[in-house]
């Protein structure tokens, strides 16, 4: 506010298995009790799945996504030493799985992203505010592996909806908790692929 900007509130509730209206009501009540205010209307992501589907389609059309039929338990059973990196199934096998109506998730292929961005992939960066200082960080999307951007019970994953809305709303500064301190590493990649601007990031300690 001192800089002449607007403080926006966004309800990031794309995970419909965990997010409930009463939780949103509690957030609004708590922030109002703290004396905060924000422009209306508040963007509530669960009301805009069609927007995220459009972004997902663009990534699919460019061959940056693949269908992953492995469940979380199946991936855990692989005993991986790091984040999951997969690959598309052979065309015939994938067709059989789809014919059987097997569930799948859309994953962002780091290999395809690297091919699309070329040398830019290894030079992805973002700025982070710490106190009064600003640091330039090197993004490392490999920390997340091939992230899920959509699945049956979540038409849009957090990483996709958040970066989409940051671009849509012209967000210049993002403030989130330390539980999401690694999110910019994959967000910068999505922003580069989609031609979206990268905001400046700040993280705060969690309130217990």
């Amino acid at each position: 506010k001192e800089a002449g900007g607007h403080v926006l509130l966004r309800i990031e509730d794309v995970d419909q298995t965990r997010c409930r209206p009463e939780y949103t009501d509690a957030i609004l009540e708590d922030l109002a009790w703290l004396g905060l205010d924000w422009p209306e209307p508040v963007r509530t992501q669960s009301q805009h799945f069609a927007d995220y589907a459009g972004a997902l389609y663009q990534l699919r059309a460019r061959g940056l996504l693949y269908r992953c039929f492995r469940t979380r338990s199946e991936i855990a059973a692989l005993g991986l030493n790091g984040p999951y990196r997969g690959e598309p199934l052979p065309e015939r096998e994938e067709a059989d799985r789809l014919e059987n109506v097997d569930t799948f998730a859309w994953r962002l292929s780091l290999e395809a992203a690297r091919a699309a961005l070329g040398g830019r992939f290894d030079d992805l960066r973002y700025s982070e505010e710490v106190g009064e200082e600003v640091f330039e960080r090197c993004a490392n999307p490999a920390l997340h592996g091939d992230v899920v951007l959509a699945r049956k019970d979540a038409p849009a994953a957090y990483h996709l909806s958040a970066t989409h809305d940051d671009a849509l709303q012209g967000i210049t500064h993002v403030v989130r908790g330390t539980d999401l301190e690694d999110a910019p590493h994959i967000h910068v990649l999505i922003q580069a692929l989609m031609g979206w601007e990268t905001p400046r990031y700040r993280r705060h300690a969690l309130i217990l």
Side-chain angles (χ1 to χ4, degrees):
K1 288 184 176 180
E2 289 178 353
H6 299 285
V7 180
L8 303 184
L9 172 65
R10 187 161 71 221
I11 301 300
E12 298 179 334
D13 60 345
V14 292
D15 188 341
Q16 296 291 278
T17 62
R18 298 172 56 192
C19 301
R20 301 177 183 175
E22 56 265 34
Y23 298 163
T24 297
D25 292 341
I27 289 171
L28 299 176
E29 182 180 346
D30 289 347
L31 293 177
W33 176 82
L34 285 167
L36 301 179
D37 56 49
W38 47 84
E40 297 285 353
V42 172
R43 184 171 175 88
T44 301
Q45 291 186 332
S46 60
Q47 299 174 4
H48 300 281
F49 282 126
D51 292 350
Y52 314 131
L56 195 74
Y57 176 80
Q58 291 182 52
L59 293 169
R60 285 174 53 194
R62 294 165 58 193
L64 297 170
L65 307 182
Y66 64 92
R67 293 182 179 91
C68 176
F69 292 88
R70 283 196 171 111
T71 64
R72 292 186 181 94
S73 58
E74 288 173 341
I75 292 174
L78 296 175
L80 301 175
N81 293 324
Y84 179 75
R85 297 283 297 274
E87 58 184 13
L89 291 177
E91 187 175 339
R92 182 65 260 173
E93 184 178 349
E94 181 176 85
D96 290 342
R97 299 293 296 267
L98 291 174
E99 188 174 342
N100 291 333
V101 199
D102 293 345
T103 58
F104 64 87
W106 286 107
R107 287 186 180 271
L108 175 62
S109 169
L110 287 184
E111 181 179 350
R114 178 183 289 278
L117 293 177
R120 291 178 58 204
F121 185 92
D122 293 315
D123 196 37
L124 295 171
R125 299 174 184 272
Y126 64 95
S127 297
E128 181 181 28
E129 294 183 356
V130 180
E132 298 300 316
E133 298 186 79
V134 179
F135 297 90
E136 187 174 81
R137 310 292 195 195
C138 293
N140 180 15
L143 288 174
H144 295 268
D146 290 354
V147 296
V148 170
L149 293 189
R151 60 179 189 268
K152 183 178 179 180
D153 59 346
Y158 161 76
H159 295 303
L160 180 62
S161 60
T163 51
H164 175 280
D165 286 356
D166 288 343
L168 177 73
Q169 296 181 289
I171 300 301
T172 59
H173 294 67
V174 172
V175 183
R176 291 197 176 99
T178 53
D179 55 328
L180 291 168
E181 62 183 331
D182 288 337
H185 290 283
I186 195 66
H187 288 192
V188 171
L189 174 59
I190 296 172
Q191 289 154 356
L193 291 170
M194 296 296 293
W196 295 334
E197 294 293 325
T198 296
R200 181 173 291 180
Y201 294 95
R202 176 184 287 271
R203 57 179 184 252
H204 62 78
L206 299 182
I207 300 172
L208 304 180

